[in-house]
Amino acid sequence: MLYQRSSDLFKEAQKYIPGGVNSPVRAFRSVGGTPVFMKSARGAYLTDADGQTYIDYINSWGPMILGHNHPKVLEAVTEQLKGGFSFGTPTELETEIAKLIVGSVPNIDKVRMVNSGTEACMSAIRLARGYTARNKIIKFEGCYHGHSDSFLIKAGSGAATFGNPNSPGVTQGTAQDTLLAKYNDLESVRLIFENNPGEIAAVILEPIAGNMGCVPPKKDFLEELRLLCDKNRTLLIFDEVMTGFRAKMGGAQEFFNIKADIITYGKVIGGGMPVGAFSGRAEVMDHLSPEGTVYQAGTLSGNPIAMRAGFTTLSLLKEDSGIFDRITQTTQILTKELKAIFEKAGIQVCINHCSSMMTVFFGTDEVSNFDDAANADHDLFNKYFHFLLENGIYLPPSGYETWFISDCIKKDEVEKTLDISRKFVSGL
Ligand code: KE4
């Protein structure tokens, strides 16, 4: 592969954009090397600035579940554009997509659209605090809920103490209200509840973790969390920015048959446009302004172009619900065959997968929490990443990220991925 144009573009970008990117993970700091600039995409493929194509396992970090530039989404958005870009008024389309979401997801009555997953999760926390009149929240190490201050927290010393900021600019005042538990470790959650009786507004988690790599919940973990929240009159928030309309049409709530109190969305519900949302039963959601007193707002929330892209994407998923099984099956085949390739070569590997999300962790047999993920062999992953990139396969540029399978990744793409992976191990 040649990267001359990408290299030139990256030099230019760094003059005007911090790190040359508008989101840090894109800068390849985790895997090393120069980021590849993309200029177009279609189906399962990205095309870079040098005109080279790649099988895409990022799919814009989840949104492009149908594959890139689906003709029906393109047609619908093109048509919508002719009616104008943004009004800042209510529109019928916002009710249509809200009805589609409420009708597709168990256990929710109302939904508020925002412009990103960060905004959805930030607002969900504020709503939970307003609804419960409590200040503290519990999150899990390794789970990412966007970059609002309450979430940029690392574990304090011992589970009973407060969190600490993990970014400059986050105050201790904010950090003290966020407590860190360990994913898949119920005892760590129980301890926090015991040490903070009556003070926890919400527990927030990714029901299938995707931001420490893919880490599924252990059996009964979600059920027991639900019971702990009920016992402590604490709201359970499912951050379904990744899993919403990917695990199933009804997301992780349907997938695991667990009811959360507030559910956040992003990615797929925008079909590639900037959209987030948070939802729940009316008794909780009606605390939101202007109905209630918990304030939240957004100039471009419910923007007609973004809504059209999202509505069309969700409608296509609803019309063809077989997609969820198809992309899950593709994920299972990839996982099984890759594991066989690495193990045949004597390479220790754990490939976590759940629905159509997966992550390859080298040098370990099990990854059930963030510590396990951190102990994996990320150097070997980085070599794997670059070997596949050189051979036209684009993985997420970090061993702590999840591969997102789209409906356009078919037999040919799987076969090529397996073939290049065989070449990779033969060269080790
Ligand atoms: P955004 O603000 O990036 O739309 O959503 C934040 C967010 C919230 N919750 C979950 C479970 C998420 O995965 C995300 C964002 N995911 C990352 C991927 N690790 C987006 C990629 C990026 O940061 O550039």
Side-chain angles (χ1 to χ4, degrees):
M1 291 287 190
L2 299 171
Y3 296 115
Q4 189 55 55
R5 186 76 181 121
S6 279
S7 175
D8 295 345
L9 289 171
F10 188 48
K11 284 194 189 78
E12 183 76 357
Q14 290 178 92
K15 292 179 197 165
Y16 306 100
I17 306 170
V21 292
N22 283 311
S23 198
V25 70
R26 303 175 190 170
F28 276 24
R29 294 292 174 95
S30 179
V31 292
T34 302
V36 179
F37 279 55
M38 298 299 167
K39 71 176 179 187
S40 66
R42 180 172 297 284
Y45 293 87
L46 295 164
T47 300
D48 75 11
D50 292 281
Q52 298 158 146
T53 60
Y54 305 80
I55 298 169
D56 183 12
Y57 283 105
I58 298 189
N59 284 293
S60 182
W61 303 96
M64 310 321 294
I65 189 169
L66 297 172
H68 289 285
N69 229 347
H70 188 289
K72 288 187 176 169
V73 179
L74 177 61
E75 181 191 358
V77 170
T78 304
E79 196 54 33
Q80 186 70 44
L81 282 166
K82 294 172 189 166
F85 285 58
S86 181
F87 318 135
T89 68
T91 61
E92 181 180 2
L93 181 53
E94 292 165 83
T95 307
E96 290 309 300
I97 193 171
K99 278 164 66 175
L100 177 50
I101 291 170
V102 168
S104 303
V105 176
N107 172 51
I108 64 172
D109 302 323
K110 294 193 175 178
V111 57
R112 170 64 59 88
M113 306 308 279
V114 294
N115 301 279
S116 70
T118 292
E119 210 183 331
C121 294
M122 173 182 80
S123 308
I125 290 298
R126 184 179 311 132
L127 175 58
R129 286 171 164 152
Y131 176 80
T132 61
R134 295 175 177 180
N135 296 337
K136 291 180 179 160
I137 63 167
I138 296 174
K139 79 172 287 290
F140 293 84
E141 288 175 278
C143 283
Y144 177 70
H145 307 293
H147 63 88
S148 69
D149 286 6
S150 290
F151 301 130
L152 298 183
I153 309 294
K154 60 177 181 277
S157 56
T161 59
F162 301 142
N164 292 318
N166 77 357
S167 165
V170 175
T171 66
Q172 193 55 48
T174 296
Q176 70 183 11
D177 287 332
T178 300
L179 299 163
L180 272 289
K182 193 181 283 288
Y183 202 80
N184 280 319
D185 177 346
L186 280 163
E187 201 42 44
S188 71
V189 185
R190 285 194 191 96
L191 188 61
I192 294 174
F193 271 117
E194 280 164 27
N195 288 292
N196 299 273
E199 295 187 67
I200 310 291
V203 172
I204 184 168
L205 81 161
E206 298 173 52
I208 304 169
N211 286 287
M212 49 180 131
C214 178
V215 176
K218 283 184 174 172
K219 186 170 173 354
D220 300 333
F221 179 61
L222 298 177
E223 291 84 346
E224 293 296 328
L225 270 186
R226 178 70 271 175
L227 294 174
L228 268 175
C229 287
D230 291 342
K231 184 177 158 210
N232 290 279
R233 301 166 62 76
T234 292
L235 296 190
L236 177 60
I237 301 175
F238 270 10
D239 174 353
E240 294 220 42
V241 168
M242 278 188 176
T243 56
F245 297 95
R246 173 172 282 280
K248 287 272 187 193
M249 190 70 186
Q253 287 193 109
E254 181 187 344
F255 191 86
F256 295 109
N257 191 25
I258 299 269
K259 291 184 176 179
D261 298 303
I262 301 176
I263 304 93
T264 63
Y265 296 102
K267 299 182 192 282
V268 170
I269 68 164
M273 297 293 282
V275 179
F278 58 115
S279 61
R281 53 186 188 279
E283 180 241 335
V284 176
M285 295 298 287
D286 285 346
H287 280 68
L288 273 178
S289 176
E291 191 72 26
T293 54
V294 176
Y295 195 70
Q296 179 275 327
T299 302
L300 292 172
S301 297
N303 167 275
I305 312 306
M307 293 297 99
R308 182 59 66 191
F311 182 75
T312 310
T313 298
L314 298 187
S315 300
L316 288 166
L317 292 173
K318 186 176 177 185
E319 284 159 27
D320 175 15
S321 58
I323 183 174
F324 300 105
D325 288 341
R326 288 199 299 272
I327 57 181
T328 297
Q329 195 176 36
T330 301
T331 308
Q332 290 167 340
I333 292 166
L334 255 177
T335 299
K336 179 170 174 282
E337 298 301 329
L338 283 174
K339 190 168 172 61
I341 289 167
F342 293 127
E343 288 186 338
K344 188 177 173 199
I347 295 168
Q348 191 183 20
V349 70
C350 162
I351 307 181
N352 279 351
H353 63 101
C354 190
S355 96
S356 53
M357 297 162 58
M358 61 179 278
T359 298
V360 174
F361 295 100
F362 291 116
T364 182
D365 292 323
E366 182 185 350
V367 177
S368 299
N369 57 48
F370 181 69
D371 292 342
D372 293 348
N375 290 331
D377 183 346
H378 290 275
D379 290 340
L380 184 52
F381 173 80
N382 295 347
K383 291 191 181 81
Y384 183 52
F385 170 85
H386 280 288
F387 190 87
L388 266 63
L389 188 72
E390 279 289 326
N391 287 276
I393 299 168
Y394 197 109
L395 300 183
S398 163
Y400 292 99
E401 296 289 355
T402 289
W403 307 16
F404 293 100
I405 307 303
S406 83
D407 197 31
C408 287
I409 294 177
K410 301 292 188 190
K411 192 172 182 313
D412 288 353
E413 289 71 34
V414 170
E415 282 310 314
K416 174 164 183 186
T417 306
L418 298 176
D419 180 45
I420 300 301
S421 299
R422 287 187 196 95
K423 290 191 169 79
F424 171 69
V425 298
S426 66
L428 287 178

